[in-house]
Amino acid sequence: MAIRYCLVNEMVPFLEVNIQNYRELSDTSTLITDIDVLGVKVESSGKQNKVIFDCKTLGKTSPINRAFWASGLMQFTGCSEAFVILRKKASEAHRLSARQIGVHLFDERQFGSYAESFSLDFCSDYCYSTSISNWIGLFSSASGNPMLEQFVAFLNNDLPAEKDVTKAFRKFLVGLDKAKGELDPDKNKHKALFNYSLSIFLYLMAKIIHDFRAVIDYEITESDYGKLMKYYIWGGRDSFLLKNKLTELYSNSTNSSVAPEPEIKSWASYLELSRKLLDSPGDIQKCVLPLREISFMNISTRINEKDKFTSAYVANNKRVRQFSSSAAKYLVDAVKLPKDFSRQLDGIFDEIREI
């Protein structure tokens, strides 16, 4: 139900997001708590809206106490709203009090009615993403491979909880680079993981491009554009210069041929991709849903009606295929993945166009 609420409100859902300490001060990593579902949406203004869903909370905790917990978690994680879906109906007074701190207290029936008021599609199993079994299947596709298990956990835990989007972007490229040797384009489950990773990458790019467009002059020269983007990606000029200095010192101490400054892989290709995405920032996040649907197609029993939904969604917005294909080619080039991954994605787009 939480996933479907996210879908009808054009949010990107992340399941079972682990929340870590602000700073780890012990030798063993510890978790504070987890968020059952975290819905995220990059608004047209560029603001990131995050919503917490706490599902079927324990009966021993009173509804208002759970609301206080959710409010504290909202503040800690930078979220704007929370839904606590209870086993039993909360009193009207508790519900009203919870609303004062940005928390909705609903039982299942109340939450269903509330969500349906946004869209009748909430009750429909109209796409692959509306079925929880497909999500479980996607996460299970990494089972048995420690590297891929770690990568999938990273996609669903570290990235949505990271408040600095450029740091999340850099970590994503490093994570994909580490996992690339395990990804085989001949295996459906690996194609699913690549396309899901691509959807997360474009979610990050939506935030990056919205931020960046607010600070640049569209008549900027190519060299100035590259310099500003470089500073932005590395957290500002001072941060970049510090990283550059550390890289230089390491190079001198080891007599190695490390690059003279910090680099993002395939930088020229990244700049080309970012310029293309700047043509229509509002359409970047719209690529996430169809890419996730294509991901699920690789591990689920194909259903014609759900394929038609994806086909119509892509046909409705020409930017979806354009941006998705360009981003896939960049990732393949940046981390040296087999080119079959991007070719197969183009093949799926061709296939669903004919449906």
Side-chain angles (χ1 to χ4, degrees), residues 265-323:
K265 294 175 182 292
S266 300
W267 181 244
S269 298
Y270 171 76
L271 291 179
E272 181 183 347
L273 172 65
S274 66
R275 279 186 175 276
K276 187 175 293 185
L277 298 179
L278 270 168
D279 288 342
S280 186
D283 287 322
I284 306 171
Q285 188 171 276
K286 293 176 183 177
C287 301
V288 174
L289 173 59
L291 284 172
R292 189 174 58 238
E293 290 295 293
I294 290 171
S295 174
F296 288 146
M297 287 177 191
N298 287 293
I299 54 167
S300 310
T301 301
R302 296 285 290 271
I303 298 173
N304 191 49
E305 289 305 310
K306 295 187 176 184
D307 289 353
K308 284 182 177 178
F309 165 80
T310 308
S311 176
Y313 190 101
V314 174
N316 243 3
N317 189 329
K318 65 179 182 179
R319 297 287 192 182
V320 168
R321 177 168 185 173
Q322 178 192 2
F323 287 175

Side-chain angles (χ1 to χ4, degrees), residues 38-181:
L38 177 66
V40 186
K41 181 178 182 181
V42 180
E43 305 289 356
S44 58
S45 63
K47 181 183 177 183
Q48 199 172 33
N49 185 31
K50 294 185 177 183
V51 181
I52 291 170
F53 297 85
D54 182 44
C55 304
K56 293 282 188 82
T57 190
L58 296 175
K60 293 180 180 178
T61 306
S62 72
I64 193 61
N65 280 342
R66 199 60 179 178
F68 289 144
W69 169 87
S71 179
L73 185 58
M74 284 165 53
Q75 184 176 357
F76 187 80
T77 56
C79 295
S80 57
E81 194 175 17
F83 290 84
V84 177
I85 305 176
L86 304 159
R87 294 184 184 278
K88 295 181 180 179
K89 182 178 173 182
S91 70
E92 286 77 5
H94 276 192
R95 290 173 61 193
L96 183 60
S97 296
R99 288 285 294 123
Q100 308 313 303
I101 52 174
V103 179
H104 303 270
L105 293 176
F106 290 130
D107 64 14
E108 271 193 62
R109 183 190 60 79
Q110 291 168 333
F111 180 69
S113 299
Y114 180 82
E116 195 175 348
S117 69
F118 286 93
S119 173
L120 293 176
D121 285 339
F122 172 78
C123 298
S124 304
D125 185 21
Y126 59 92
C127 66
Y128 294 101
S129 296
T130 56
S131 172
I132 188 67
S133 61
N134 291 331
W135 291 84
I136 294 170
L138 176 68
F139 301 147
S140 298
S141 64
S143 296
N145 186 315
M147 180 61 75
L148 290 182
E149 287 179 355
Q150 186 178 1
F151 181 60
V152 170
F154 161 74
L155 291 179
N156 288 284
N157 293 328
D158 291 48
L159 291 186
E162 177 58 64
K163 295 179 182 179
D164 184 342
V165 69
T166 58
K167 185 177 179 181
F169 167 80
R170 299 194 305 269
K171 288 167 68 175
F172 173 88
L173 291 180
V174 171
L176 184 59
D177 187 53
K178 288 181 178 179
K180 68 180 178 184

